[in-house]
């Protein structure tokens, strides 16, 4: 893939908050998951696990009992698929190493895998929305996810009912420092 093609895809991807009713074929879901599976990770531990929720009753339960109150997210009920991005921990890389470095490796690794998933979805004409506003214990209970596994985020996935313009982003000059952090910031 050429850089320009990749940048165009990244620039056009938006958080989808309006889905149409079409079911997402399993082969497209699997393509998104395959892209996420190929993400790099600390010491190649690949801590990510994905729970794909297509069942209408389970999705409804997540929307009704698994989301935190105060931030309405009606598109979650429209989405034909919800994916829970989870992590499992390795004792050395994910428990001891962060104590020494201060870096939460499973969270970084999951973020990379999640971004691979949303970019793959965008390339396939699908919309996604990262959701961090949820009750982990409730969602784990609904989906029978073990206590030892952490849910990092949820994604809605489906065909966008409408296209939205990308949000304004800071310029490269506003987010980049050369050699040292500028003190005026």
């Amino acid at each position: 893939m050429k850089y320009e093609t990749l940048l165009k895809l990244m620039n056009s991807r938006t958080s989808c908050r309006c889905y149409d009713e079409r079911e997402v074929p399993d082969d497209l879901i699997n393509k998104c998951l395959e892209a996420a599976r190929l993400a790099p990770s600390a010491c190649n531990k690949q801590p990510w696990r994905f729970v794909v929720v297509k069942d209408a009753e389970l999705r409804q339960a997540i929307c009704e009992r698994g989301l935190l109150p105060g931030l309405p997210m009606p598109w979650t009920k429209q989405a034909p698929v919800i994916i829970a991005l989870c992590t499992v921990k390795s004792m050395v890389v994910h428990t001891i190493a962060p104590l020494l470095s201060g870096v939460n490796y499973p969270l970084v690794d999951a973020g990379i895998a999640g971004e691979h998933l949303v970019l793959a979805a965008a390339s396939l004409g699908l919309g996604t929305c990262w959701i961090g506003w949820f009750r982990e214990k409730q969602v784990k209970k609904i989906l029978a996810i073990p206590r030892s596994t952490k849910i990092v985020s949820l994604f809605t996935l489906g065909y966008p009912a409408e296209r939205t313009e990308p949000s304004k982003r800071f310029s490269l000059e506003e987010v980049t420092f050369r050699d040292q952090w500028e003190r005026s910031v």
Side-chain angles (χ1 to χ4, degrees), residues 42 89-109:
K89 289 186 176 183
S90 153
M91 179 57 77
V92 174
V93 175
H94 299 136
T95 305
I96 297 171
L99 293 174
L100 300 173
S101 69
V103 176
N104 186 335
Y105 296 105
L107 192 57
V108 171
D109 294 345

Side-chain angles (χ1 to χ4, degrees), residues 49-91:
R49 301 296 183 270
F50 303 92
V51 180
V52 178
V53 185
K54 293 176 69 176
D55 179 83
E57 288 181 23
L58 289 174
R59 286 186 288 113
Q60 185 71 19
I62 291 169
C63 294
E64 290 176 0
R65 299 191 318 269
L67 301 179
L68 288 165
L71 185 62
M73 295 183 280
W75 69 89
T76 58
K77 293 179 182 177
Q78 297 173 338
V81 181
I82 294 175
I83 298 174
L85 170 56
C86 307
T87 58
V88 292
K89 289 186 176 183
S90 153
M91 179 57 77

Side-chain angles (χ1 to χ4, degrees), residues 22 26 31 33-34 36-38 42 51 53 63 68 70 74 80 86 90 108 123 136 142 158 165 172 180 183:
R22 283 183 286 170
D26 285 340
K31 286 179 180 182
L33 296 170
E34 177 65 8
R37 183 188 72 81
L38 295 173
V51 180
V53 185
C63 294
L68 288 165
C86 307
S90 153
V108 171
S123 77
E136 183 184 19
I142 293 164
E165 288 298 312
L172 188 59
Q180 291 184 344
R183 295 188 193 280

Side-chain angles (χ1 to χ4, degrees), residues 20-49:
D20 74 22
E21 296 178 5
R22 283 183 286 170
E23 182 178 319
V24 180
D26 285 340
D27 69 311
L28 294 185
I29 296 169
N30 288 341
K31 286 179 180 182
C32 295
L33 296 170
E34 177 65 8
R37 183 188 72 81
L38 295 173
S41 62
C43 297
N44 198 31
K45 290 300 181 186
Q46 305 170 54
W48 45 75
R49 301 296 183 270

